[in-house]
mmCIF file with all atom_site columns, all heavy atoms in Angstrom:
data_model
loop_
_atom_site.group_PDB
_atom_site.id
_atom_site.type_symbol
_atom_site.label_atom_id
_atom_site.label_alt_id
_atom_site.label_comp_id
_atom_site.label_asym_id
_atom_site.label_entity_id
_atom_site.label_seq_id
_atom_site.pdbx_PDB_ins_code
_atom_site.Cartn_x
_atom_site.Cartn_y
_atom_site.Cartn_z
_atom_site.occupancy
_atom_site.B_iso_or_equiv
_atom_site.pdbx_formal_charge
_atom_site.auth_seq_id
_atom_site.auth_comp_id
_atom_site.auth_asym_id
_atom_site.auth_atom_id
_atom_site.pdbx_PDB_model_num
ATOM 1   N N   . ARG A 1 2   ? 4.795   -30.445 1.556   1.00 0.00 ? 23  ARG A N   1
ATOM 2   C CA  . ARG A 1 2   ? 3.961   -29.966 0.447   1.00 0.00 ? 23  ARG A CA  1
ATOM 3   C C   . ARG A 1 2   ? 4.796   -29.103 -0.496  1.00 0.00 ? 23  ARG A C   1
ATOM 4   O O   . ARG A 1 2   ? 5.559   -28.230 -0.053  1.00 0.00 ? 23  ARG A O   1
ATOM 5   C CB  . ARG A 1 2   ? 2.798   -29.152 1.027   1.00 0.00 ? 23  ARG A CB  1
ATOM 6   C CG  . ARG A 1 2   ? 1.938   -28.448 -0.006  1.00 0.00 ? 23  ARG A CG  1
ATOM 7   C CD  . ARG A 1 2   ? 1.019   -29.417 -0.736  1.00 0.00 ? 23  ARG A CD  1
ATOM 8   N NE  . ARG A 1 2   ? -0.155  -28.717 -1.256  1.00 0.00 ? 23  ARG A NE  1
ATOM 9   C CZ  . ARG A 1 2   ? -0.210  -28.128 -2.461  1.00 0.00 ? 23  ARG A CZ  1
ATOM 10  N NH1 . ARG A 1 2   ? 0.849   -28.145 -3.254  1.00 0.00 ? 23  ARG A NH1 1
ATOM 11  N NH2 . ARG A 1 2   ? -1.319  -27.528 -2.839  1.00 0.00 ? 23  ARG A NH2 1
ATOM 12  N N   . THR A 1 3   ? 4.668   -29.350 -1.801  1.00 0.00 ? 24  THR A N   1
ATOM 13  C CA  . THR A 1 3   ? 5.375   -28.579 -2.809  1.00 0.00 ? 24  THR A CA  1
ATOM 14  C C   . THR A 1 3   ? 4.395   -27.710 -3.580  1.00 0.00 ? 24  THR A C   1
ATOM 15  O O   . THR A 1 3   ? 3.335   -28.183 -4.002  1.00 0.00 ? 24  THR A O   1
ATOM 16  C CB  . THR A 1 3   ? 6.118   -29.507 -3.786  1.00 0.00 ? 24  THR A CB  1
ATOM 17  O OG1 . THR A 1 3   ? 7.121   -30.236 -3.066  1.00 0.00 ? 24  THR A OG1 1
ATOM 18  C CG2 . THR A 1 3   ? 6.784   -28.702 -4.891  1.00 0.00 ? 24  THR A CG2 1
ATOM 19  N N   . PHE A 1 4   ? 4.746   -26.432 -3.744  1.00 0.00 ? 25  PHE A N   1
ATOM 20  C CA  . PHE A 1 4   ? 3.950   -25.497 -4.546  1.00 0.00 ? 25  PHE A CA  1
ATOM 21  C C   . PHE A 1 4   ? 4.801   -25.055 -5.734  1.00 0.00 ? 25  PHE A C   1
ATOM 22  O O   . PHE A 1 4   ? 5.890   -24.492 -5.538  1.00 0.00 ? 25  PHE A O   1
ATOM 23  C CB  . PHE A 1 4   ? 3.562   -24.258 -3.729  1.00 0.00 ? 25  PHE A CB  1
ATOM 24  C CG  . PHE A 1 4   ? 2.597   -24.521 -2.616  1.00 0.00 ? 25  PHE A CG  1
ATOM 25  C CD1 . PHE A 1 4   ? 3.058   -24.933 -1.369  1.00 0.00 ? 25  PHE A CD1 1
ATOM 26  C CD2 . PHE A 1 4   ? 1.238   -24.353 -2.802  1.00 0.00 ? 25  PHE A CD2 1
ATOM 27  C CE1 . PHE A 1 4   ? 2.172   -25.167 -0.325  1.00 0.00 ? 25  PHE A CE1 1
ATOM 28  C CE2 . PHE A 1 4   ? 0.343   -24.580 -1.765  1.00 0.00 ? 25  PHE A CE2 1
ATOM 29  C CZ  . PHE A 1 4   ? 0.801   -24.990 -0.529  1.00 0.00 ? 25  PHE A CZ  1
ATOM 30  N N   . ASP A 1 5   ? 4.320   -25.300 -6.941  1.00 0.00 ? 26  ASP A N   1
ATOM 31  C CA  . ASP A 1 5   ? 5.045   -24.789 -8.088  1.00 0.00 ? 26  ASP A CA  1
ATOM 32  C C   . ASP A 1 5   ? 4.559   -23.383 -8.429  1.00 0.00 ? 26  ASP A C   1
ATOM 33  O O   . ASP A 1 5   ? 3.612   -22.867 -7.824  1.00 0.00 ? 26  ASP A O   1
ATOM 34  C CB  . ASP A 1 5   ? 4.929   -25.730 -9.290  1.00 0.00 ? 26  ASP A CB  1
ATOM 35  C CG  . ASP A 1 5   ? 3.493   -25.936 -9.771  1.00 0.00 ? 26  ASP A CG  1
ATOM 36  O OD1 . ASP A 1 5   ? 2.619   -25.120 -9.418  1.00 0.00 ? 26  ASP A OD1 1
ATOM 37  O OD2 . ASP A 1 5   ? 3.264   -26.904 -10.515 1.00 0.00 ? 26  ASP A OD2 1
ATOM 38  N N   . GLU A 1 8   ? 0.807   -22.923 -9.417  1.00 0.00 ? 29  GLU A N   1
ATOM 39  C CA  . GLU A 1 8   ? -0.175  -22.914 -8.331  1.00 0.00 ? 29  GLU A CA  1
ATOM 40  C C   . GLU A 1 8   ? -0.111  -21.611 -7.539  1.00 0.00 ? 29  GLU A C   1
ATOM 41  O O   . GLU A 1 8   ? -1.140  -21.084 -7.111  1.00 0.00 ? 29  GLU A O   1
ATOM 42  C CB  . GLU A 1 8   ? 0.035   -24.105 -7.399  1.00 0.00 ? 29  GLU A CB  1
ATOM 43  C CG  . GLU A 1 8   ? -1.076  -24.199 -6.346  1.00 0.00 ? 29  GLU A CG  1
ATOM 44  C CD  . GLU A 1 8   ? -1.024  -25.471 -5.530  1.00 0.00 ? 29  GLU A CD  1
ATOM 45  O OE1 . GLU A 1 8   ? -0.142  -26.309 -5.769  1.00 0.00 ? 29  GLU A OE1 1
ATOM 46  O OE2 . GLU A 1 8   ? -1.894  -25.619 -4.643  1.00 0.00 ? 29  GLU A OE2 1
ATOM 47  N N   . ARG A 1 9   ? 1.079   -21.080 -7.349  1.00 0.00 ? 30  ARG A N   1
ATOM 48  C CA  . ARG A 1 9   ? 1.186   -19.785 -6.648  1.00 0.00 ? 30  ARG A CA  1
ATOM 49  C C   . ARG A 1 9   ? 0.467   -18.698 -7.451  1.00 0.00 ? 30  ARG A C   1
ATOM 50  O O   . ARG A 1 9   ? -0.209  -17.832 -6.883  1.00 0.00 ? 30  ARG A O   1
ATOM 51  C CB  . ARG A 1 9   ? 2.650   -19.424 -6.434  1.00 0.00 ? 30  ARG A CB  1
ATOM 52  C CG  . ARG A 1 9   ? 3.394   -20.353 -5.496  1.00 0.00 ? 30  ARG A CG  1
ATOM 53  C CD  . ARG A 1 9   ? 4.814   -19.862 -5.244  1.00 0.00 ? 30  ARG A CD  1
ATOM 54  N NE  . ARG A 1 9   ? 4.820   -18.708 -4.341  1.00 0.00 ? 30  ARG A NE  1
ATOM 55  C CZ  . ARG A 1 9   ? 5.911   -18.027 -4.024  1.00 0.00 ? 30  ARG A CZ  1
ATOM 56  N NH1 . ARG A 1 9   ? 7.073   -18.340 -4.586  1.00 0.00 ? 30  ARG A NH1 1
ATOM 57  N NH2 . ARG A 1 9   ? 5.850   -17.007 -3.191  1.00 0.00 ? 30  ARG A NH2 1
ATOM 58  N N   . ALA A 1 11  ? -2.053  -19.177 -9.494  1.00 0.00 ? 32  ALA A N   1
ATOM 59  C CA  . ALA A 1 11  ? -3.489  -19.420 -9.397  1.00 0.00 ? 32  ALA A CA  1
ATOM 60  C C   . ALA A 1 11  ? -4.038  -18.897 -8.076  1.00 0.00 ? 32  ALA A C   1
ATOM 61  O O   . ALA A 1 11  ? -5.141  -18.319 -8.030  1.00 0.00 ? 32  ALA A O   1
ATOM 62  C CB  . ALA A 1 11  ? -3.779  -20.915 -9.544  1.00 0.00 ? 32  ALA A CB  1
ATOM 63  N N   . ARG A 1 12  ? -3.301  -19.097 -6.998  1.00 0.00 ? 33  ARG A N   1
ATOM 64  C CA  . ARG A 1 12  ? -3.725  -18.549 -5.711  1.00 0.00 ? 33  ARG A CA  1
ATOM 65  C C   . ARG A 1 12  ? -3.786  -17.026 -5.765  1.00 0.00 ? 33  ARG A C   1
ATOM 66  O O   . ARG A 1 12  ? -4.726  -16.416 -5.254  1.00 0.00 ? 33  ARG A O   1
ATOM 67  C CB  . ARG A 1 12  ? -2.751  -18.992 -4.611  1.00 0.00 ? 33  ARG A CB  1
ATOM 68  C CG  . ARG A 1 12  ? -2.939  -20.433 -4.173  1.00 0.00 ? 33  ARG A CG  1
ATOM 69  C CD  . ARG A 1 12  ? -1.996  -20.799 -3.039  1.00 0.00 ? 33  ARG A CD  1
ATOM 70  N NE  . ARG A 1 12  ? -2.353  -22.103 -2.495  1.00 0.00 ? 33  ARG A NE  1
ATOM 71  C CZ  . ARG A 1 12  ? -2.559  -22.352 -1.216  1.00 0.00 ? 33  ARG A CZ  1
ATOM 72  N NH1 . ARG A 1 12  ? -2.455  -21.372 -0.324  1.00 0.00 ? 33  ARG A NH1 1
ATOM 73  N NH2 . ARG A 1 12  ? -2.882  -23.562 -0.806  1.00 0.00 ? 33  ARG A NH2 1
ATOM 74  N N   . ARG A 1 15  ? -6.967  -15.844 -7.585  1.00 0.00 ? 36  ARG A N   1
ATOM 75  C CA  . ARG A 1 15  ? -8.218  -16.029 -6.854  1.00 0.00 ? 36  ARG A CA  1
ATOM 76  C C   . ARG A 1 15  ? -8.266  -15.163 -5.592  1.00 0.00 ? 36  ARG A C   1
ATOM 77  O O   . ARG A 1 15  ? -9.242  -14.453 -5.347  1.00 0.00 ? 36  ARG A O   1
ATOM 78  C CB  . ARG A 1 15  ? -8.391  -17.502 -6.477  1.00 0.00 ? 36  ARG A CB  1
ATOM 79  C CG  . ARG A 1 15  ? -8.582  -18.434 -7.674  1.00 0.00 ? 36  ARG A CG  1
ATOM 80  C CD  . ARG A 1 15  ? -8.818  -19.860 -7.216  1.00 0.00 ? 36  ARG A CD  1
ATOM 81  N NE  . ARG A 1 15  ? -8.888  -20.790 -8.337  1.00 0.00 ? 36  ARG A NE  1
ATOM 82  C CZ  . ARG A 1 15  ? -9.964  -20.981 -9.094  1.00 0.00 ? 36  ARG A CZ  1
ATOM 83  N NH1 . ARG A 1 15  ? -11.067 -20.300 -8.828  1.00 0.00 ? 36  ARG A NH1 1
ATOM 84  N NH2 . ARG A 1 15  ? -9.943  -21.845 -10.088 1.00 0.00 ? 36  ARG A NH2 1
ATOM 85  N N   . ARG A 1 16  ? -7.230  -15.225 -4.794  1.00 0.00 ? 37  ARG A N   1
ATOM 86  C CA  . ARG A 1 16  ? -7.291  -14.573 -3.489  1.00 0.00 ? 37  ARG A CA  1
ATOM 87  C C   . ARG A 1 16  ? -7.112  -13.060 -3.565  1.00 0.00 ? 37  ARG A C   1
ATOM 88  O O   . ARG A 1 16  ? -7.590  -12.345 -2.691  1.00 0.00 ? 37  ARG A O   1
ATOM 89  C CB  . ARG A 1 16  ? -6.269  -15.208 -2.555  1.00 0.00 ? 37  ARG A CB  1
ATOM 90  C CG  . ARG A 1 16  ? -6.601  -16.682 -2.343  1.00 0.00 ? 37  ARG A CG  1
ATOM 91  C CD  . ARG A 1 16  ? -5.847  -17.331 -1.244  1.00 0.00 ? 37  ARG A CD  1
ATOM 92  N NE  . ARG A 1 16  ? -6.289  -18.723 -1.115  1.00 0.00 ? 37  ARG A NE  1
ATOM 93  C CZ  . ARG A 1 16  ? -5.836  -19.564 -0.204  1.00 0.00 ? 37  ARG A CZ  1
ATOM 94  N NH1 . ARG A 1 16  ? -4.913  -19.168 0.671   1.00 0.00 ? 37  ARG A NH1 1
ATOM 95  N NH2 . ARG A 1 16  ? -6.289  -20.799 -0.159  1.00 0.00 ? 37  ARG A NH2 1
ATOM 96  N N   . ASP A 1 277 ? -3.524  -25.259 7.754   1.00 0.00 ? 298 ASP A N   1
ATOM 97  C CA  . ASP A 1 277 ? -4.839  -25.656 7.245   1.00 0.00 ? 298 ASP A CA  1
ATOM 98  C C   . ASP A 1 277 ? -5.109  -25.092 5.850   1.00 0.00 ? 298 ASP A C   1
ATOM 99  O O   . ASP A 1 277 ? -6.260  -25.021 5.420   1.00 0.00 ? 298 ASP A O   1
ATOM 100 C CB  . ASP A 1 277 ? -5.940  -25.213 8.208   1.00 0.00 ? 298 ASP A CB  1
ATOM 101 C CG  . ASP A 1 277 ? -5.955  -23.712 8.436   1.00 0.00 ? 298 ASP A CG  1
ATOM 102 O OD1 . ASP A 1 277 ? -5.049  -23.022 7.916   1.00 0.00 ? 298 ASP A OD1 1
ATOM 103 O OD2 . ASP A 1 277 ? -6.864  -23.227 9.137   1.00 0.00 ? 298 ASP A OD2 1
ATOM 104 N N   . ASP A 1 278 ? -4.052  -24.707 5.139   1.00 0.00 ? 299 ASP A N   1
ATOM 105 C CA  . ASP A 1 278 ? -4.216  -24.109 3.822   1.00 0.00 ? 299 ASP A CA  1
ATOM 106 C C   . ASP A 1 278 ? -3.276  -24.770 2.819   1.00 0.00 ? 299 ASP A C   1
ATOM 107 O O   . ASP A 1 278 ? -2.599  -24.108 2.037   1.00 0.00 ? 299 ASP A O   1
ATOM 108 C CB  . ASP A 1 278 ? -3.934  -22.595 3.896   1.00 0.00 ? 299 ASP A CB  1
ATOM 109 C CG  . ASP A 1 278 ? -4.295  -21.867 2.621   1.00 0.00 ? 299 ASP A CG  1
ATOM 110 O OD1 . ASP A 1 278 ? -5.230  -22.296 1.923   1.00 0.00 ? 299 ASP A OD1 1
ATOM 111 O OD2 . ASP A 1 278 ? -3.617  -20.864 2.300   1.00 0.00 ? 299 ASP A OD2 1
ATOM 112 N N   . LEU A 1 279 ? -3.271  -26.095 2.841   1.00 0.00 ? 300 LEU A N   1
ATOM 113 C CA  . LEU A 1 279 ? -2.354  -26.835 1.973   1.00 0.00 ? 300 LEU A CA  1
ATOM 114 C C   . LEU A 1 279 ? -3.068  -27.520 0.813   1.00 0.00 ? 300 LEU A C   1
ATOM 115 O O   . LEU A 1 279 ? -2.414  -28.147 -0.028  1.00 0.00 ? 300 LEU A O   1
ATOM 116 C CB  . LEU A 1 279 ? -1.585  -27.877 2.786   1.00 0.00 ? 300 LEU A CB  1
ATOM 117 C CG  . LEU A 1 279 ? -0.746  -27.325 3.953   1.00 0.00 ? 300 LEU A CG  1
ATOM 118 C CD1 . LEU A 1 279 ? -0.071  -28.465 4.707   1.00 0.00 ? 300 LEU A CD1 1
ATOM 119 C CD2 . LEU A 1 279 ? 0.283   -26.329 3.458   1.00 0.00 ? 300 LEU A CD2 1
ATOM 120 N N   . ASP A 1 280 ? -4.386  -27.435 0.753   1.00 0.00 ? 301 ASP A N   1
ATOM 121 C CA  . ASP A 1 280 ? -5.116  -28.062 -0.344  1.00 0.00 ? 301 ASP A CA  1
ATOM 122 C C   . ASP A 1 280 ? -4.784  -27.375 -1.661  1.00 0.00 ? 301 ASP A C   1
ATOM 123 O O   . ASP A 1 280 ? -4.541  -26.158 -1.719  1.00 0.00 ? 301 ASP A O   1
ATOM 124 C CB  . ASP A 1 280 ? -6.627  -27.984 -0.106  1.00 0.00 ? 301 ASP A CB  1
ATOM 125 C CG  . ASP A 1 280 ? -7.072  -28.839 1.067   1.00 0.00 ? 301 ASP A CG  1
ATOM 126 O OD1 . ASP A 1 280 ? -6.300  -29.740 1.461   1.00 0.00 ? 301 ASP A OD1 1
ATOM 127 O OD2 . ASP A 1 280 ? -8.174  -28.599 1.595   1.00 0.00 ? 301 ASP A OD2 1
ATOM 128 N N   . ALA A 1 281 ? -4.811  -28.148 -2.721  1.00 0.00 ? 302 ALA A N   1
ATOM 129 C CA  . ALA A 1 281 ? -4.503  -27.615 -4.040  1.00 0.00 ? 302 ALA A CA  1
ATOM 130 C C   . ALA A 1 281 ? -5.582  -26.625 -4.476  1.00 0.00 ? 302 ALA A C   1
ATOM 131 O O   . ALA A 1 281 ? -6.767  -26.790 -4.171  1.00 0.00 ? 302 ALA A O   1
ATOM 132 C CB  . ALA A 1 281 ? -4.398  -28.750 -5.048  1.00 0.00 ? 302 ALA A CB  1
ATOM 133 N N   . VAL A 1 282 ? -5.164  -25.585 -5.163  1.00 0.00 ? 303 VAL A N   1
ATOM 134 C CA  . VAL A 1 282 ? -6.071  -24.591 -5.734  1.00 0.00 ? 303 VAL A CA  1
ATOM 135 C C   . VAL A 1 282 ? -6.209  -24.885 -7.217  1.00 0.00 ? 303 VAL A C   1
ATOM 136 O O   . VAL A 1 282 ? -5.211  -25.072 -7.924  1.00 0.00 ? 303 VAL A O   1
ATOM 137 C CB  . VAL A 1 282 ? -5.526  -23.161 -5.512  1.00 0.00 ? 303 VAL A CB  1
ATOM 138 C CG1 . VAL A 1 282 ? -6.372  -22.138 -6.254  1.00 0.00 ? 303 VAL A CG1 1
ATOM 139 C CG2 . VAL A 1 282 ? -5.496  -22.843 -4.025  1.00 0.00 ? 303 VAL A CG2 1
ATOM 140 N N   . ALA A 1 283 ? -7.444  -24.932 -7.693  1.00 0.00 ? 304 ALA A N   1
ATOM 141 C CA  . ALA A 1 283 ? -7.683  -25.251 -9.098  1.00 0.00 ? 304 ALA A CA  1
ATOM 142 C C   . ALA A 1 283 ? -7.089  -24.174 -10.000 1.00 0.00 ? 304 ALA A C   1
ATOM 143 O O   . ALA A 1 283 ? -7.077  -22.990 -9.640  1.00 0.00 ? 304 ALA A O   1
ATOM 144 C CB  . ALA A 1 283 ? -9.180  -25.383 -9.355  1.00 0.00 ? 304 ALA A CB  1
ATOM 145 N N   . PRO A 1 284 ? -6.593  -24.556 -11.160 1.00 0.00 ? 305 PRO A N   1
ATOM 146 C CA  . PRO A 1 284 ? -6.077  -23.552 -12.096 1.00 0.00 ? 305 PRO A CA  1
ATOM 147 C C   . PRO A 1 284 ? -7.183  -22.584 -12.509 1.00 0.00 ? 305 PRO A C   1
ATOM 148 O O   . PRO A 1 284 ? -8.374  -22.877 -12.386 1.00 0.00 ? 305 PRO A O   1
ATOM 149 C CB  . PRO A 1 284 ? -5.616  -24.395 -13.289 1.00 0.00 ? 305 PRO A CB  1
ATOM 150 C CG  . PRO A 1 284 ? -5.451  -25.779 -12.758 1.00 0.00 ? 305 PRO A CG  1
ATOM 151 C CD  . PRO A 1 284 ? -6.474  -25.918 -11.664 1.00 0.00 ? 305 PRO A CD  1
#
Side-chain angles (χ1 to χ4, degrees):
R23 173 75 155 88
T24 296
F25 292 86
D26 61 18
E29 186 172 359
R30 294 185 75 185
R33 284 183 170 232
R36 294 183 185 279
R37 298 192 178 182
D298 59 355
D299 189 31
L300 301 178
D301 292 342
V303 173

